[in-house]
Amino acid sequence: MKKSLFLLLLAALTLVLAACGSSGSDSSDSGSDTTSSIDEIKERGTLRVAVFSDKPPFGYVDSNGENQGYDIVLAKRLAKDLLGDESKLEYVITEPQARVDLLKSDKVDIVLANFTVTPERQEQVDFANPYMKVAVGVVSPNSAPIESVEQLKGKKLIVPKGTTAETYFMKNHPEIELVKYDQITEAFEALKDGRGDAMAQDNALLFSWANENPGFSVALPTLGEQDYIAPAVKKGNTELLEWLNTELETLGEEQFFHKAYEETLKPAFGDDIVADDVVVEGKVEE
């Protein structure tokens, strides 16, 4: 009887030990499946970057079907330094309101689509160090210039959806009628066609557009506080975020963004704007 009881206890102990071993094995296996975000990019062989196709001089497609602009110059350098070849890029064309969702759904690794840092967006994505300064501005016809917010009362203000301009006016001036468009090009065409009295958007973009479109000017260049434009990654992607910050600081040391400004922005802005008004080299100095 004692022998039978001993055998039963031994069998039970064996089962317990086997279960523990199995559990440890499963944990080890699941850990081996974990791949870092940078390793995933390298295994894929391409860096997926969200950019604009209709926002010159920051991100646009030229007459040859090639992506060009300030954001594109940065994207190429990131691909070169991460993957060894600037052509190892997959451009994902986006509209302003789709930028957050592209990161949340893992359709891109980085958003470089002229993305302004805001507290609301920081709750949904992680921003790296900034590479541009920006503020909301208003462009209007020279024949009826808008020089103050008060002049917009009773008028129609055009804004692209999903932009800081839309958010600013909805929050601070709900009394002003907004005419909203999905695409930036649609918004500019609406302004030229007279479907609104003025258009609000990032002032850096407006400077460029007004320079290329006689008859319009940015008579109201700055509203609210100065903001910053920065690359964004999926919330919680600490590895890629830290790599980006280190990379941006390295680029800042070589004055990369001043060179990119001379190449892409200065021809569009003209001589009235200087690089230091727009460019941030690697990080904001305390």
Side-chain angles (χ1 to χ4, degrees):
M1 183 70 179
K2 290 182 179 180
K3 184 177 180 181
S4 299
L5 180 60
F6 173 77
L7 291 174
L8 286 172
L9 289 172
L10 182 62
L13 180 60
T14 302
L15 289 172
V16 170
L17 289 174
C20 290
S22 174
S23 174
S25 175
D26 289 345
S27 175
S28 175
D29 290 345
S30 64
S32 65
D33 291 338
T34 302
T35 305
S36 77
S37 58
I38 289 179
D39 284 343
E40 287 180 357
I41 294 169
K42 290 180 177 179
E43 289 172 8
R44 188 193 314 128
T46 56
L47 180 65
R48 303 170 303 171
V49 181
V51 297
F52 286 131
S53 64
D54 61 350
K55 197 172 184 180
F58 303 102
Y60 64 99
V61 176
D62 66 16
S63 58
N64 296 318
E66 299 291 329
N67 292 88
Q68 303 287 356
Y70 186 74
D71 288 340
I72 307 305
V73 172
L74 175 56
K76 288 180 177 180
R77 179 60 184 269
L78 296 180
K80 179 180 179 181
D81 289 350
L82 184 59
L83 299 173
D85 187 341
E86 69 173 27
S87 68
K88 290 185 176 181
L89 274 169
E90 178 186 344
Y91 296 115
V92 179
I93 303 304
T94 186
E95 298 298 337
Q97 69 272 23
R99 291 173 292 194
V100 169
D101 287 340
L102 285 175
L103 288 172
K104 286 185 172 182
S105 60
D106 285 319
K107 292 181 180 177
V108 299
D109 303 303
I110 302 171
V111 169
L112 286 182
N114 216 232
F115 210 7
T116 304
V117 180
T118 68
E120 294 79 12
R121 289 170 178 168
Q122 286 176 309
E123 293 178 0
Q124 302 184 75
V125 303
D126 285 334
F127 284 99
N129 293 343
Y131 60 97
M132 271 191 68
K133 306 169 189 174
V134 71
V136 174
V138 176
V139 63
S140 53
N142 292 339
S143 58
I146 298 297
E147 299 174 338
S148 68
V149 172
E150 287 69 27
Q151 288 180 284
L152 286 168
K153 293 178 180 177
K155 294 182 171 63
K156 294 181 179 181
L157 178 65
I158 297 167
V159 293
K161 294 179 182 177
T163 61
T164 50
E166 178 191 24
T167 302
Y168 175 84
F169 277 95
M170 288 178 65
K171 180 179 179 180
N172 297 288
H173 300 284
E175 75 280 4
I176 294 174
E177 181 182 354
L178 301 182
V179 182
K180 304 179 183 183
Y181 290 90
D182 290 322
Q183 298 183 350
I184 296 167
T185 48
E186 289 179 331
F188 278 126
E189 287 301 316
L191 177 63
K192 293 170 72 173
D193 293 345
R195 284 174 272 163
D197 299 284
M199 175 176 162
Q201 177 56 299
D202 292 349
N203 59 0
L205 174 63
L206 298 184
F207 294 146
S208 170
W209 186 85
N211 191 48
E212 297 290 329
N213 288 270
F216 294 88
S217 60
V218 188
L220 183 52
T222 304
L223 287 170
E225 299 179 358
Q226 176 178 273
D227 291 318
Y228 293 95
I229 288 173
V233 301
K234 186 176 181 179
K235 194 75 174 174
N237 192 346
T238 306
E239 184 187 28
L240 185 55
L241 182 68
E242 290 178 350
W243 182 88
L244 269 174
N245 283 334
T246 301
E247 172 77 356
L248 290 165
E249 289 187 31
T250 300
L251 295 182
E253 291 172 1
E254 64 181 64
Q255 295 291 289
F256 172 86
F257 294 101
H258 275 76
K259 296 171 186 175
Y261 176 92
E262 293 293 323
E263 177 185 343
T264 62
L265 300 186
K266 185 175 181 179
F269 286 178
D271 296 328
D272 292 336
I273 309 296
V274 297
D276 287 338
D277 292 337
V278 177
V279 167
V280 176
E281 285 289 1
K283 63 180 180 179
V284 177
E285 297 297 335
E286 299 295 336

